[in-house]
Amino acid sequence: MEMPKATEEEKERFRRVVPDHPGVVVKPMFGNLGAFVNGNMFAGLFGPTIGVKLSREDKELLESSERTVPFGPAERPMGGYTGLPEVWNEEGDGDETRARAWAEKALAYVASLPAKEPKEPRARKASP
């Protein structure tokens, strides 16, 4: 499974699209970035593709009205996420505004879900 890495330019674009909200945390994931609220990812970057997790209704609306793409590895796209249209990467500022609007919807939806419980740290095995 190939894991494309985002360029610095793609990472900057992602950061511009992610809502500036006090509860939002952007962190690296496998050479890409993820945006989280309450421990749950609401948007991610996979190579040049921005993916968002939307309510069922918003997901259906976006997928029926735009040329969305699968989000994640081709062999195993991430369930529940929709890749924003790749053509938006080339079309300029107006499309960045559209991407921001969908990221806002994703943030609102995921923020309404139960917070993810932090995992207990695993005990390390003693070295012989």
Side-chain angles (χ1 to χ4, degrees):
M1 182 168 12
E2 188 176 329
M3 295 290 280
K5 304 236 186 296
T7 65
E8 287 306 313
E9 182 179 317
E10 291 162 343
K11 289 178 183 179
E12 268 313 304
R13 179 174 182 272
F14 179 75
R15 287 184 182 100
R16 287 192 308 269
V17 165
V18 169
D20 184 19
H21 183 276
V24 171
V25 176
V26 175
K27 56 187 177 181
M29 292 182 55
F30 312 108
N32 293 291
L33 296 173
F36 296 80
V37 64
N38 300 329
N40 294 310
M41 189 168 91
F42 68 91
L45 183 64
F46 188 77
T49 305
I50 295 174
V52 291
K53 184 172 184 125
L54 299 165
S55 68
R56 184 176 47 79
E57 297 82 10
D58 283 340
K59 186 176 191 307
E60 288 173 4
L61 175 63
L62 177 60
E63 290 178 352
S64 67
S65 63
E66 298 288 347
R67 292 174 47 196
T68 59
V69 295
F71 181 69
E75 308 84 22
R76 193 171 170 200
M78 290 181 67
Y81 288 82
T82 299
L84 297 180
E86 291 181 350
V87 69
W88 288 4
N89 293 343
E90 294 104 36
E91 288 186 358
D93 187 51
D95 288 309
E96 196 165 285
T97 301
R98 288 167 52 187
R100 240 187 327 272
W102 286 105
E104 288 276 357
K105 286 179 182 268
L107 170 60
Y109 170 66
V110 173
S112 74
L113 301 175
K116 189 170 187 176
E117 295 295 323
K119 290 183 180 178
E120 291 292 321
R122 287 188 188 184
R124 292 194 170 195
K125 293 181 181 179
S127 300

